[in-house]
C-alpha cells in the first residue's frame, strides 16, 4: 500500500485500494486459475532491509519516497 500511495501522490491522483479478505482472493485464484500455492500472491510483501544494514553496513542514499519519485519522473518523461 505504501508504494501505491507514493505513486498516486506523485502523479497527483488518488490511490485506489480495495480491501478484500485474502481467503476470497485465494478461492478466486483456485477456481479461476487452479494454482496450488497462492500464498505469494496474497501474503505480505513487506521488505525488511535490516539484514543488509547489519551485514554490509549499507546505508541508502535516498529515501523510498525520493527513489520512487525519481523513478516515476524518469518513467513519465519517456512515455
Amino acid at each position: 500500500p505504501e508504494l501505491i500511495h507514493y505513486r498516486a501522490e506523485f502523479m497527483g491522483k488518488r490511490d485506489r485500494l480495495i480491501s478484500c479478505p485474502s481467503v476470497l482472493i485465494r478461492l478466486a485464484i483456485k477456481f479461476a486459475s487452479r494454482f496450488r500455492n497462492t500464498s505469494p500472491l496474497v501474503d505480505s510483501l513487506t521488505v525488511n532491509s535490516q539484514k543488509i544494514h547489519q551485514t554490509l553496513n549499507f546505508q541508502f542514499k535516498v529515501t523510498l519516497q525520493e527513489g520512487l519519485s525519481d523513478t516515476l519522473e524518469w518513467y513519465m518523461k519517456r512515455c
Side-chain angles (χ1 to χ4, degrees):
E2 190 176 9
L3 288 175
I4 294 170
H5 174 73
Y6 287 150
R7 179 194 57 90
E9 185 179 294
F10 175 80
M11 298 177 79
K13 299 188 179 211
R14 275 188 34 186
D15 48 351
R16 297 180 184 160
L17 294 173
I18 300 170
S19 180
C20 182
S22 62
V23 173
L24 291 179
I25 296 171
R26 288 179 200 272
L27 284 172
I29 291 170
K30 272 188 176 180
F31 288 118
S33 304
R34 296 190 174 117
F35 287 139
R36 292 183 193 268
N37 182 11
T38 61
S39 58
L41 298 173
V42 294
D43 289 346
S44 175
L45 298 176
T46 303
V47 176
N48 183 346
S49 60
Q50 188 74 11
K51 189 172 181 179
I52 195 168
H53 287 292
Q54 292 173 345
T55 307
L56 302 176
N57 196 27
F58 178 81
Q59 296 297 320
F60 293 106
K61 294 182 180 180
V62 296
T63 65
L64 173 63
Q65 191 168 7
E66 291 170 330
L68 185 59
S69 177
D70 291 347
T71 302
L72 288 170
E73 188 175 323
W74 174 86
Y75 180 79
M76 297 298 282
K77 285 180 181 176
R78 281 150 183 80
C79 287

